[in-house]
Amino acid sequence: MPQQPLLSKEQKENLAILEPQLKSCVRSADLERAKRITGKIQNLLRPTGHETRILQAKNWLYETAMEANSLTFAKMGFEGTIQKSNKNTRLHLEAISLLAICYLREANLDRSRDLIIKAVESINNIKSEDRRKQFHRRLIERLEEESILVGLKDESGTPLALEEVDQHTIKLVMTKSENQIYLEMGQAVPQRSIDLLSDVRDTYTMRLPGPDRKLLPSPITEENKEELGKRASSALKRVAWRAVCSPNSEIYKAWSQGLSVVYDKKYIAGAIVASFNSVSISAVMIAASAAALAIKFGAEVFCETFAPNSMMIDRKEKS
């Protein structure tokens, strides 16, 4: 792709507003808003031939689609980015990585494995060891989180019952510390999730040069239930955060009245149960642990700590 022309002052000013708005759509999974903002960015940049910057915006759009569970739209978009971008660029690598996640979410493990291998091979194009380490950490941790989520989903499972989840939530809040709640969550992670974790890790390291293996974070093992619970909690933030932290939700508004209002009306457990049922997660202790953590953290800390992050690297990041 030819070298991009310099951005005008007007383009820079507009992008400084539009791009953060677009990136925020990934967190909220607001696909319709992401489409509108991407259209504005495309109209702003296309006349001057800034195609690479447009592709970057579209990657955020497709990642938003992935988070909104519009996987067909997301897959087609990432395939387009892969075809149009230079193979040695971060943009190309991010599209391959996110496409691998799409297929992992569909439990299409064969296709996901192929893309994980391609992504690992592409990471070798990053010359800086610090940046390779950064991308390895982001990708392997995200793939492990997605593996846990896939293993938790059970289309044939019995939907969660609010009363049962709420009872366990109250018990956890009253009797367990934060680390003990993570332990409870880790013990409730099903074997399928653990097997997927191992499979993804093996696939990832298969084509990884020996020296780069030391750049990976330590693996999550079945024996360390507390760490497994922490990783499960991180995985579930993509479900729990939107249930609890959307500024337009009743639970978020109630939080402004004080935690007791939310707790008494079972707002947190109810939001968690509804969101988990919507994605076929039916493990009672997983849901109760997530609700208990939300209560223990409190609104502001929970919503900041558990906010989902984009896989894509911000242009301003240096390491």
Side-chain angles (χ1 to χ4, degrees), residues 194-290:
I194 294 169
D195 291 342
L196 280 169
L197 273 174
S198 178
D199 185 87
V200 164
R201 189 84 183 199
D202 289 345
T203 299
Y204 200 98
T205 56
M206 185 188 306
R207 300 292 180 86
L208 192 62
D212 273 14
R213 294 189 182 187
K214 67 181 181 357
L215 303 179
L216 299 183
S218 300
I220 302 297
T221 63
E222 182 177 0
E223 291 73 23
N224 193 334
K225 296 297 185 183
E226 184 178 327
E227 285 303 313
L228 182 60
K230 288 179 179 178
R231 185 58 59 83
S233 178
S234 183
L236 289 163
K237 69 186 180 185
R238 299 183 185 281
V239 182
W241 189 90
R242 293 181 189 118
V244 175
C245 301
S246 170
N248 296 322
S249 69
E250 290 303 317
I251 183 170
Y252 194 85
K253 294 173 184 176
W255 235 325
S256 65
Q257 302 174 42
L259 182 59
S260 61
V261 176
V262 180
Y263 183 74
D264 290 344
K265 294 186 178 181
K266 303 178 185 176
Y267 281 160
I268 292 177
I272 295 292
V273 165
S275 61
F276 280 26
N277 280 338
S278 72
V279 293
S280 302
I281 295 175
S282 56
V284 173
M285 284 308 298
I286 293 287
S289 298

Side-chain angles (χ1 to χ4, degrees), residues 147-178:
S147 299
I148 291 173
L149 278 177
V150 171
L152 284 171
K153 293 180 180 180
D154 182 6
E155 301 288 347
S156 62
T158 302
L160 293 166
L162 174 55
E163 289 298 329
E164 184 180 9
V165 172
D166 189 55
Q167 289 174 8
H168 284 286
T169 299
I170 293 170
K171 185 176 180 181
L172 288 172
V173 170
M174 300 298 293
T175 64
K176 302 291 184 181
S177 67
E178 180 184 323

Side-chain angles (χ1 to χ4, degrees), residues 5 14 38 43 45 63 102 105 115 141 158 169 174-175 183 191 201 206 227 233 250 255 287 293:
N14 278 282
T38 303
N43 291 336
L45 297 177
E63 188 176 9
C102 285
R105 285 194 177 187
L115 288 160
E141 288 183 353
T158 302
T169 299
M174 300 298 293
T175 64
L183 178 61
Q191 188 62 43
R201 189 84 183 199
M206 185 188 306
E227 285 303 313
S233 178
E250 290 303 317
W255 235 325
L293 287 170

Side-chain angles (χ1 to χ4, degrees), residues 17-64:
I17 297 171
L18 292 171
E19 288 183 335
Q21 290 177 346
L22 180 56
K23 285 184 281 186
S24 73
C25 292
V26 177
R27 176 178 292 185
S28 60
D30 192 339
L31 181 54
E32 292 308 312
R33 182 168 182 255
K35 288 179 179 178
R36 292 194 298 271
I37 296 170
T38 303
K40 291 179 181 179
I41 292 175
Q42 184 166 288
N43 291 336
L44 178 69
L45 297 177
R46 179 137 291 162
T48 51
H50 287 89
E51 295 299 322
T52 299
R53 197 71 172 254
I54 292 172
L55 285 177
Q56 181 189 47
K58 287 186 174 180
N59 262 11
W60 279 315
L61 168 63
Y62 306 139
E63 188 176 9
T64 302

Side-chain angles (χ1 to χ4, degrees), residues 5 40 50 66 89 96 106 120 127 131 154 172 175 180-181 202 204 224 231 271 287 294 301 310:
K40 291 179 181 179
H50 287 89
M66 183 180 76
T89 62
I96 293 174
E106 291 182 329
V120 171
K127 303 303 180 185
R131 292 198 175 197
D154 182 6
L172 288 172
T175 64
Q180 288 171 328
I181 293 173
D202 289 345
Y204 200 98
N224 193 334
R231 185 58 59 83
V301 174
S310 170

